[in-house]
């Protein structure tokens, strides 16, 4: 093996200095510190990039997530898991929505934190102002559900470039254990705008108040004439056709229900019920393996829950209990140890401060091999 040229050595040194500066900037802003993740490259058969196309490259897989201080640790683990299991990791493009103002971390500092852990990641950050939804948010059963950033997903089609045809929206408390391109390739028939796993065994009526069901112009009449009977779906994992969303003015449709909620209380949870009111019975169903949700327990106690029966491609800690909080408290649930294997967080006394992530474990270490089978 030949020795590296002086130019290459200087380029590597410059990159290392830049990443150290970015990490220091994020730490100075009060953000957690994170180790640099391993770098992953495309395998055989991946689409070649189109010169000069940038974010408009038709071969890209677009993933949208939110970024904020408390959930940043979850976001970093989610990004790492998506890259680790992607057949074409260099083809992933991340679109991050971050709160602007109101004490939120500056976008520049969030950008520095992400770039320091994922130097080759293709991403953009879009500031989201709370006043875009502040007058529409109603009180919920859990204060965290009232955060304006929870409603940023409604604005994806307004914020992302017009050349982006669709996006996979993911919550920050997910972990991928499969190639996300499989989800990206979900077929959306002409009548559908959103694809997501449906849970028709769930009690759909409990997502709305008695006042809603007893109202002579609301209740079951709202869902009459839809493609299928309305079922619950979780908005933390969705494939969204952004072009159809814009044409159908779906943000405005959702906000009309939020305005009604201010006049008469028709639901108790935060951003989920307006989505159900617009899309339940109209979405394209996706295999349940892509949202093994509820691992954070309910919205009050956050108790431990096991995986549902069947294969797993994506794990979702929806509910009150978050794996990083339970691990830090010394009271982790069994599945939280799987999440920990992707945790890039560097604590104050963490030996991983050398820059090596603690995530040396395989993602399958804590799960039976069968859950990954297709």
């Amino acid at each position: 093996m030949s020795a590296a040229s002086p130019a290459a050595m200087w380029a590597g040194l410059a990159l290392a200095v830049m990443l150290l500066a970015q990490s220091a900037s994020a730490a100075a802003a009060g953000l957690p510190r994170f180790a640099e993740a391993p770098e992953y490259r495309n395998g055989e058969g991946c689409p070649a990039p189109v010169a000069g196309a940038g974010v408009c490259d038709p071969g890209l897989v677009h993933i949208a997530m939110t970024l904020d201080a408390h959930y940043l640790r979850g976001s970093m683990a989610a990004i790492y898991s998506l890259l680790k299991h992607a057949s074409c990791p260099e083809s992933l493009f991340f679109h991050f929505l971050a709160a602007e103002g109101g004490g939120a971390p500056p976008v520049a500092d969030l950008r520095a934190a992400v770039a320091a852990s994922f130097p080759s990641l293709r991403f953009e950050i879009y500031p989201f102002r709370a006043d875009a939804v502040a007058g529409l948010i109603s009180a919920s059963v859990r204060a965290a559900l009232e955060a304006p950033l929870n409603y940023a997903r409604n604005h994806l089609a307004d914020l992302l470039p017009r050349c982006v045809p669709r996006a996979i929206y993911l919550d920050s408390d997910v972990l991928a254990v499969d190639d996300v391109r499989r989800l990206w390739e979900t077929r959306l028939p002409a009548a559908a705008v959103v694809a997501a796993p449906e849970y028709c065994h769930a009690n759909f009526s409990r997502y709305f108040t008695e006042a809603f069901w007893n109202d002579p112009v609301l209740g079951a009449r709202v869902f009459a004439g839809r493609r299928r009977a309305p079922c619950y779906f979780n908005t933390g994992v969705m494939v969204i056709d952004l072009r159809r969303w814009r044409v159908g003015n779906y943000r405005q449709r959702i906000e009309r229900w939020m305005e009604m909620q201010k006049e008469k209380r028709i639901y108790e949870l935060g951003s989920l019920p307006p989505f159900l009111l617009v899309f339940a019975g109209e979405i394209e169903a996706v295999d349940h393996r892509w949202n093994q949700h509820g691992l954070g327990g309910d919205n009050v106690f956050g108790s431990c829950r096991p995986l549902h029966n069947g294969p797993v491609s994506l794990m979702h800690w929806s509910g009150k209990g978050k794996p990083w909080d339970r691990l830090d408290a010394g009271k982790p649930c069994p599945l939280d140890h799987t999440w920990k294997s992707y945790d890039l967080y560097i604590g104050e006394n963490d030996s991983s401060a050398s820059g090596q992530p603690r995530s040396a474990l395989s993602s399958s270490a804590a799960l039976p091999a069968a859950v990954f089978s297709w």
Side-chain angles (χ1 to χ4, degrees), residues 4 13 38 42 53 62 72 82 87 98 120 122 141 170 200 205 209 216 284 290 303 316-317 335 374:
L13 179 61
N42 283 355
H62 297 276
L72 184 59
L82 288 159
S87 56
S120 300
R122 305 176 74 174
V141 295
L170 298 175
C200 294
S205 64
T209 62
E284 185 67 10
W290 285 106
S303 53
H316 185 189
W317 277 260
L335 289 172
W374 276 86

Side-chain angles (χ1 to χ4, degrees), residues 112-173:
V114 172
S117 287
F118 306 100
S120 300
L121 190 72
R122 305 176 74 174
F123 73 95
E124 186 53 76
I125 299 180
Y126 307 85
F128 180 74
R129 294 194 59 83
D131 57 16
V133 294
L136 296 168
I137 298 175
S138 301
S140 183
V141 295
R142 184 158 58 93
L145 300 177
E146 301 169 23
L149 201 58
N150 286 337
Y151 297 84
R153 73 193 85 187
N154 302 349
H155 294 253
L156 277 179
D158 301 319
L159 296 171
L160 270 57
R162 293 277 172 153
C163 63
V164 177
R166 64 162 61 182
I168 297 172
Y169 176 83
L170 298 175
D171 277 351
S172 298
D173 50 1

Side-chain angles (χ1 to χ4, degrees), residues 48-203:
V50 177
V55 70
C56 299
D57 190 329
L60 294 176
V61 171
H62 297 276
I63 299 171
M65 303 175 67
T66 59
L67 286 181
D68 69 6
H70 179 67
Y71 285 89
L72 184 59
R73 188 169 169 186
S75 299
M76 299 293 260
I79 297 166
Y80 180 20
S81 71
L82 288 159
L83 293 171
K84 178 180 176 66
H85 294 282
S87 56
C88 302
E90 295 175 271
S91 299
L92 302 187
F93 195 106
F94 288 81
H95 303 267
F96 298 118
L97 282 60
E100 184 178 48
V107 168
D109 295 328
L110 290 170
R111 184 185 303 277
V114 172
S117 287
F118 306 100
S120 300
L121 190 72
R122 305 176 74 174
F123 73 95
E124 186 53 76
I125 299 180
Y126 307 85
F128 180 74
R129 294 194 59 83
D131 57 16
V133 294
L136 296 168
I137 298 175
S138 301
S140 183
V141 295
R142 184 158 58 93
L145 300 177
E146 301 169 23
L149 201 58
N150 286 337
Y151 297 84
R153 73 193 85 187
N154 302 349
H155 294 253
L156 277 179
D158 301 319
L159 296 171
L160 270 57
R162 293 277 172 153
C163 63
V164 177
R166 64 162 61 182
I168 297 172
Y169 176 83
L170 298 175
D171 277 351
S172 298
D173 50 1
V174 305
L175 204 67
V177 290
D178 199 350
D179 185 0
V180 74
R181 182 172 284 275
R182 298 178 188 269
L183 179 60
W184 172 258
E185 293 173 348
T186 298
R187 178 182 171 272
L188 273 170
V193 178
V194 172
E198 280 187 313
Y199 304 91
C200 294
H201 63 279
N203 182 359

